[in-house]
Amino acid sequence: VVKQGQEEKEKEYRCIIKAEKEVTDDMISRLDGISDLVLQQATPIRVLHRRAPLTRSKRILKIKARLLTKGEVEECTKSDSSLTESLIGKLIVAEFTTEAGTYVK
């Protein structure tokens, strides 16, 4: 039984992703273009005591992504120049809009 209204609700998440290699514009475009992605999610271990151990279909409705600017990287690294230089081009801000009930970690 789906909770009433849950199928219409959305949740938004924002995160910073550190890539191992320098990120290209094409990579950002591919990530930024994702919409209506269907996932098969198992019940997380931490909630098994109150939820049935099932696999549920959940959707990521859209993803917006961009590289952090040099200024934003400097702000994150407290102006540690060697750390800043090692992270420029590798930090992505991603915003996910998901169907309510999607497990995000």
Side-chain angles (χ1 to χ4, degrees):
V1 174
V2 176
K3 291 181 183 176
Q4 186 175 359
Q6 183 169 331
E7 65 277 357
E8 297 137 15
K9 293 184 181 177
E10 300 175 357
K11 296 222 176 167
E12 293 182 356
Y13 300 89
R14 181 180 303 142
C15 64
I16 296 177
I17 302 168
K18 180 186 175 280
E20 290 183 17
K21 299 178 183 176
E22 193 162 322
V23 178
T24 65
D25 289 339
D26 182 56
M27 292 172 177
I28 291 291
S29 293
R30 288 193 339 234
L31 182 60
D32 196 46
I34 292 175
S35 63
D36 207 29
L37 177 66
V38 178
L39 307 173
Q40 299 300 315
Q41 292 192 320
T43 305
I45 293 170
R46 65 181 176 78
V47 297
L48 280 174
H49 67 282
R50 65 178 185 260
R51 301 282 313 262
L54 301 173
T55 300
R56 296 172 176 85
S57 291
K58 296 294 178 178
R59 293 182 308 137
I60 295 179
L61 303 172
K62 68 180 175 183
I63 299 175
K64 297 290 294 171
R66 68 173 179 83
L67 279 174
L68 262 69
T69 65
K70 182 177 180 179
E72 290 170 323
V73 174
E74 288 172 344
E75 197 174 310
C76 290
T77 59
K78 306 286 188 220
S79 299
D80 178 332
S81 60
S82 63
L83 182 57
T84 298
E85 290 304 315
S86 72
L87 292 175
I88 290 176
K90 295 181 181 176
L91 294 180
I92 302 165
V93 177
E95 296 177 5
F96 297 82
T97 303
T98 68
E99 171 183 28
T102 304
Y103 299 115
V104 177
K105 184 173 181 178

